[in-house]
Every structure is written in C-alpha cells, then in structure tokens.
Amino acid sequence: MNEKTEGSLSQGPKRDKELLKKDKNSIISKKSLNGAELAITTKKNKQFSPTIEGINAMAVTPQEIRNTKVRWIIPGAIAFDTNVMLFAEAGTGKTLSTTYLCWWMLDNKAKTGVKHVIYFDCDNGMITLSDRRLDRLISRKPAFKYICFGQDKNQNFPIQKLLEFLKRFDFSKKNKTYFKNSVIVIDSIRDILEKDMTDDTYIKAVMQVLKNLRNKFGCCIIFLNHMPKGTSTYSGAASFKNSIDTAYFVERISDITERHDIVYKFTTEKARTGGNELNLSIKIDEKGGFAVSVSSDGLESKEENPAQNIS
C-alpha cells in the first residue's frame, strides 16, 4: 500500500518537531533532523533518502517486473489487483448484470481464480432482491456474500464510512489470502460519498483510498456508477476514470421487459489493464433455473454453466 511521506532538509528544531507531529505515517530519526540530510523512515522501517543512493534503492528492477504476473479473472478483460468501474443508464440493470457476472466468476473459479465475492449493495432494498430472486444465486454459492444495507439488520451501518470500514479490516495472514482471491463490489459509488461527486479534489482522494485497498488486498474492486440523463458518460468528476484501471459502459441489448433471455454488452471505456469487451447472457426458465454465459476475445471459448433448476 502506498504510504504518504513528506519532509525536507532540516528547518530548525521547532519546525522539525512540527514535521514529526504532522506526518504520522513516517518516523523521522531525530539524529537526521539537524544534519545535512533528512531520511524518511516509514512504519515498515524502509528508508527513503533524498540521495542518488536512495533513488537507486527505490528504482524498480527488470527482474521485479518479470516476477509480477497479471492474475486474470477474465483474460484480457478483468484482473485481480485492479479497480474497475461499471456505469450504465438508470433502469438498465447494473445490479442484475454485475451480480450474475460475479456468480459466473465463482462458478468458474478453476479458471477465474475467484473464490469469494463480497457485494455491498448500498442502493437497493430487500424487495428488489426478492423480485429479482437473488436468493437463487447466493443459495448455490456460499462464497457469495451479499450485504444489503436496505435490510433492517444493516440499517444502522454508516454507509458513508464503508471505505474506512475496509481500511480497518483485520489483515491477518488468513484474511490476506481470502481477499487476494476475492472480488469486492460497491453498488453504487455515489452512496458511499460524503461530498459532491463532481468535486474532483475530493474524488481524487477517494480514488486514492480505493487504490490503496487494491494494493493492500490484491483483490479486484468493482464499483458501479450512474449516467446523467441525456449524456453518454458516467456521473461525477474526471478522477473517477483517471484513477481506475478498467472501465466499461454496460448496455442492455435485450428488451427491458424481457425476463427470461437477457443480454448485456460491456463496452470498453478505459483499458489500462485488460479492457477487452464482454458479452453477458442470462437465461432464466419458467421454473426459476438459470444459465449464465460470458464471451470475450480473451476467453478460449464461451464459458457456460448448465441451468440450475432452483425453486
């Protein structure tokens, strides 16, 4: 996780004390404060010295790059260690498409590597979940943890403190492995914000928190966003798109009234990592069984699971 460090050459004992108090993420050696050089030591006890030697120590090596492998969830499209934004017009089924996409990731975990999904629904109520029969999904996948903040037991949770909740999460060795193979979904981003989502300075700070969580957990974080009426882009500040790895515009291809043969197209809007276009197909039979398939240029062939007849 990126750590904030700041400092300069010693500016006198009084100013040095102010720097020590101001930067809680750094521990500055008292011996260096009154010297010709200020070395910044983080809580991880790694020195960042403003010297040529310090630059050499911080520089990435070719071998370090070779040792870093992309862990694809959907090859060429979505990967672990990334932040992904999905946005769509109101009423097209952002939640529906994302929940079935996550279910497909779990159902094909041997290929995707996804062992856990944590879905934070800050937007919908329990009636919507019931109408869409989301019980069919989570009943088949115990690893699909769906948290609905519209449910009575969760209504006292401060939604706008969700990122702080994740930042403070117990990060023991066991939990580190859990998160490394997880997809975390925030539905939607506007619900967890404390300020105007068009405030670029504020959104830049929020996105930095998401990047820090991505780096700390090693998971894939997907957040949903809306589209203002009459526009062809997402809601909010430019830093949403500037600060993420991958972005898709989600479009419902099938008719909005169709409830048994539903098709979505994920069109690339940003492809820093991955970004191949996706197609998602959801087939629901009269008995409540369903089949989910995903197609993409990165997949060898269309991946599909058989219909599950669930009452």
Side-chain angles (χ1 to χ4, degrees), residues 178-193:
Y178 181 99
F179 280 112
K180 190 174 182 179
N181 300 300
S182 297
V183 172
I184 297 176
V185 181
I186 300 173
D187 179 2
S188 65
I189 193 68
R190 70 176 183 182
D191 295 297
I192 70 169
L193 301 177

Side-chain angles (χ1 to χ4, degrees), residues 55-156:
I55 293 296
N56 290 336
M58 289 188 286
V60 66
T61 67
Q63 191 58 47
E64 287 170 338
I65 296 175
R66 295 187 193 107
N67 291 341
T68 304
K69 305 299 182 182
V70 180
R71 296 190 301 135
W72 291 110
I73 296 174
I74 302 176
I78 298 175
F80 288 109
D81 298 282
T82 64
N83 288 334
V84 180
M85 177 173 69
L86 306 179
F87 67 96
E89 296 178 359
T92 56
K94 291 183 293 296
T95 299
L96 184 71
S97 59
T98 306
T99 49
Y100 275 96
L101 177 63
C102 289
W103 190 92
W104 176 88
M105 291 175 178
L106 278 174
D107 197 53
N108 292 274
K109 65 181 179 181
K111 295 183 178 181
T112 65
V114 175
K115 297 181 180 180
H116 310 278
V117 171
I118 306 171
Y119 198 111
F120 293 104
D121 189 340
C122 312
D123 201 10
N124 298 291
M126 291 294 290
I127 290 178
T128 302
L129 273 57
S130 176
D131 180 59
R132 293 176 178 174
R133 293 299 308 275
L134 290 187
D135 57 294
R136 296 177 302 199
L137 279 71
I138 62 178
S139 66
R140 299 290 295 186
K141 300 294 178 187
F144 199 137
K145 305 302 181 184
Y146 199 101
I147 295 93
C148 175
F149 290 115
Q151 191 176 11
D152 288 344
K153 67 180 182 181
N154 296 324
Q155 284 188 350
N156 290 329

